[in-house]
């Protein structure tokens, strides 16, 4: 197959040789070449040696994303079938293909499919195309997903702002197969969760927190729990399943809290919880001022460092939250705080948490760490794909 060629500037092949799949426009001699959005291109070094096959994104700074480091690879149905089947095989190995359950089936670069995210809710595949390359093959990808014996519906939720960077319109709707059920219900660890994929927040359910939910469940017996950034109540249900005595959920989204209420009731947790809608920073300060205390505080904010320039501001946000969290703990209490910012490394997050403990004048000890569940593999060659860090600290 002869694909059009793009050429790297001298010395700019290094990251590619380390199998990092992103090529920025500034690294290319012909970064402004008029290839079509999503077109498959051959990436060559400045001597003309072919290094990889990639998808072209004319609108994005991230001008090309590598499909394959085998420069002879043909990007067609055979290629996508192979990669998708490998991704499915991994989830099978992880024991995540229970028909009533859910998981992340395909995680972009980490599964060798940049720009493609697929979450499975029982027999429904929820798909996001976040790059021009994956977008170009949307029909083919839909067809291959529908060939999987456990998928009956492929539904798109590509209504995410990141598509604008790729010059792609936001889009959602049925891509193929059976109609989307009104409500999707999945079970995880014996608990049921519902997600409204049609009207709900674009993110659906956070499968990356599955292993963290398990840890929270195992720590929750008899505890008064404060669940901040509660979304649809995943941690709240897990905590009650582990024997929590009460849960206070805080989130700024009313629809998310309504879904949390439904999920709590669905699992038979009718009492001893309260949902408070509002800004977490403000509500936490109010709780501190009121002298409230909890035994387990969970802080799982949205990404506070969306780009490099936001590192300082985001770090302050994480520190403020952790300080308030520590202040709200009763003696012997436990703080579980998370950062899902890929641009904040684990070491910095731990330092920030340590500073917060000092500010709150508590002595903290780490008794556990959390990370993204294994259906969100972190590609060793792409450190950005290791994004979720959590610390479990107990105060003395
Ligand atoms: N812990 C959740 C996932 C959190 S997602 C889970 O277990 O599934 C982040 C959540 O933070 C979203 O529900 C969003 O509505 C909420 N959020 C964002 N900014 C907020 C703010 N300033 N105050 C309170 N909640 C906020």
């Amino acid at each position: 197959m002869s694909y059009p060629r793009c050429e790297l500037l001298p010395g700019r092949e290094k990251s590619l040789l380390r199998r990092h799949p992103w090529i920025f426009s500034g690294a290319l001699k012909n970064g402004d070449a008029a290839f079509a959005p999503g077109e498959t291109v051959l990436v060559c070094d400045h001597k003309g040696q072919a290094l990889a096959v990639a998808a072209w994104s004319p609108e994005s700074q991230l001008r090309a994303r590598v499909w394959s480091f085998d420069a002879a690879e043909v990007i067609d149905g055979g290629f996508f079938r192979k990669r998708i089947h490998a991704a499915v095989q991994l989830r099978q190995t992880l024991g995540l293909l229970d028909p009533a359950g859910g998981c992340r089936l395909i995680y972009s670069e980490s599964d060798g499919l940049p720009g493609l995210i697929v979450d499975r809710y029982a027999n429904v595949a929820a798909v996001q195309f976040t790059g021009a390359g994956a977008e170009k093959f949307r029909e083919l990808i839909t067809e291959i997903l529908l060939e999987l014996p456990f998928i009956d519906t492929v539904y798109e939720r590509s209504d995410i702002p990141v598509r604008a960077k790729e010059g792609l319109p936001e889009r959602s709707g049925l891509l193929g197969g059976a109609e989307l059920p009104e409500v999707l219900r999945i079970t995880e660890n014996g608990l049921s969760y519902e997600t409204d994929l049609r009207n709900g927040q674009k993110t659906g359910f956070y499968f990356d927190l599955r292993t963290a939910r398990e840890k929270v469940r195992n720590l929750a017996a008899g505890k008064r729990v404060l669940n901040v950034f509660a979304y649809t109540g995943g941690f709240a249900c897990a905590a009650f399943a582990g024997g929590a005595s009460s849960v206070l959920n805080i989130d700024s989204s009313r629809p998310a809290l309504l879904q949390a209420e439904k999920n709590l009731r669905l699992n038979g947790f009718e009492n001893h919880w309260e949902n408070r809608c509002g800004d977490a920073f403000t509500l936490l300060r109010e709780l501190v001022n009121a002298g409230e205390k909890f035994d387990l505080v969970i802080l799982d904010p949205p990404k506070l460092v969306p780009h490099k320039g936001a590192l300082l501001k985001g770090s302050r946000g994480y520190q403020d939250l952790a300080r308030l969290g520590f202040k709200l703990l009763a003696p012997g209490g436990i703080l579980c705080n998370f950062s899902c910012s890929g641009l904040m490394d684990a070491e910095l997050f731990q330092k920030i948490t340590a500073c917060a403990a000092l500010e709150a004048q508590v002595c903290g000890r780490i008794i556990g760490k959390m990370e993204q569940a294994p259906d969100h593999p972190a590609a060793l060659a792409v450190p950005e794909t290791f994004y979720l860090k959590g610390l479990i600290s107990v105060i003395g």
Side-chain angles (χ1 to χ4, degrees):
M1 195 76 191
S2 71
Y3 292 124
R5 298 162 83 90
C6 64
E7 200 176 305
L8 292 160
L9 291 166
R12 301 305 292 267
E13 69 286 351
K14 284 190 192 125
S15 68
L16 216 62
L17 293 175
R18 287 197 302 266
R19 295 200 161 227
H20 195 289
W22 298 346
I23 299 150
F24 290 91
S25 56
L28 288 163
K29 200 154 134 190
N30 58 338
D32 52 1
F35 306 134
E39 186 161 356
T40 307
V41 296
L42 202 59
V43 189
C44 306
D45 67 12
H46 71 287
K47 291 183 188 140
Q49 169 81 32
L51 300 176
V53 188
W56 192 254
S57 281
E59 301 272 335
S60 173
Q61 285 293 95
L62 215 173
R63 192 56 42 93
R65 297 205 214 183
V66 172
W67 287 127
S68 175
F69 290 97
D70 171 1
E73 183 110 48
V74 178
I75 308 306
D76 59 3
F79 167 81
F80 283 105
R81 250 179 214 98
K82 191 172 67 183
R83 291 274 164 101
I84 291 174
H85 289 169
V88 169
Q89 180 57 49
L90 173 62
R91 278 64 184 180
Q92 170 89 50
T93 303
L94 293 169
L96 294 175
L97 292 189
D98 163 16
C103 66
R104 175 145 296 182
L105 211 50
I106 298 172
Y107 179 37
S108 205
E109 276 83 1
S110 295
D111 283 302
L113 291 166
L116 179 64
I117 290 177
V118 181
D119 283 335
R120 177 181 75 85
Y121 294 84
N123 61 347
V124 172
V127 185
Q128 271 184 8
F129 299 100
T130 62
E135 173 83 7
K136 177 180 150 81
F137 292 101
R138 49 196 284 124
E139 273 101 30
L140 182 59
I141 290 166
T142 303
E143 193 186 307
I144 299 170
L145 289 172
L146 282 171
E147 285 165 15
L148 296 171
F150 51 85
I151 294 296
D152 295 327
T153 298
V154 178
Y155 194 84
E156 179 170 18
R157 277 309 298 261
S158 297
D159 43 345
I160 36 167
V162 57
R163 274 174 62 100
K165 287 192 195 165
E166 297 270 335
L168 302 169
E170 297 195 5
R171 187 153 44 190
S172 65
L174 187 71
L175 279 174
E179 258 312 307
L180 183 73
E182 220 26 74
V183 182
L184 300 179
R185 185 178 294 186
I186 55 131
T187 57
E188 176 192 279
N189 222 343
L191 295 169
S192 299
Y193 296 103
E194 282 185 357
T195 300
D196 179 354
L197 203 58
R198 203 176 269 124
N199 312 306
Q201 271 188 29
K202 19 203 134 196
T203 32
F205 187 68
Y206 286 93
F207 291 114
D208 57 354
L209 293 169
R210 182 180 50 255
T211 43
R213 279 188 284 273
E214 250 176 79
K215 292 207 173 168
V216 162
R217 182 172 177 158
N218 291 334
L219 289 168
K223 304 261 193 298
R224 294 163 293 172
V225 177
L226 173 61
N227 181 25
V228 191
F229 306 98
Y231 189 47
T232 54
F235 283 122
C237 292
F240 274 128
S245 61
S246 67
V247 178
L248 172 58
N249 290 313
I250 288 180
D251 202 283
S252 58
S253 160
R254 205 165 288 281
L257 287 175
L258 283 173
Q259 188 62 59
E261 177 172 348
K262 282 190 199 160
N263 283 334
L264 283 160
R265 294 192 195 284
L266 188 63
N267 290 292
F269 308 125
E270 298 282 346
N271 305 308
H272 309 296
W273 52 262
E274 189 195 327
N275 287 346
R276 238 173 251 180
C277 190
D279 171 54
F281 293 84
T282 312
L283 293 178
L284 286 175
R285 284 196 178 89
E286 281 174 22
L287 288 170
V288 170
N289 291 339
E292 299 271 356
K293 293 288 173 195
F294 299 86
D295 307 303
L296 178 60
V297 172
I298 301 161
L299 299 170
D300 180 31
K303 201 194 273 187
L304 299 184
V305 187
H307 53 86
K308 274 192 186 139
L311 191 60
L312 191 62
K313 185 162 179 262
S315 301
R316 284 206 194 106
Y318 287 117
Q319 194 164 324
D320 279 348
L321 287 171
R323 185 188 62 252
L324 293 164
F326 277 127
K327 281 190 176 176
L328 286 166
L329 288 176
I334 295 173
L335 179 74
C336 296
N337 63 331
F338 294 87
S339 162
C340 64
S341 301
L343 291 167
M344 165 163 296
D345 63 36
E347 207 180 321
L348 177 59
F349 186 56
Q350 188 167 322
K351 278 187 189 147
I352 285 172
T353 306
C355 290
L358 274 178
E359 286 175 349
Q361 298 182 318
V362 298
C363 216
R365 286 167 293 158
I366 295 176
I367 52 167
K369 293 191 175 182
M370 296 168 286
E371 60 201 9
Q372 61 215 60
D375 46 344
H376 296 64
L380 284 169
V382 197
E384 295 87 343
T385 56
F386 174 59
Y387 63 94
L388 186 66
K389 301 149 287 281
L391 291 173
I392 308 176
S393 311
V394 64
I395 64 162

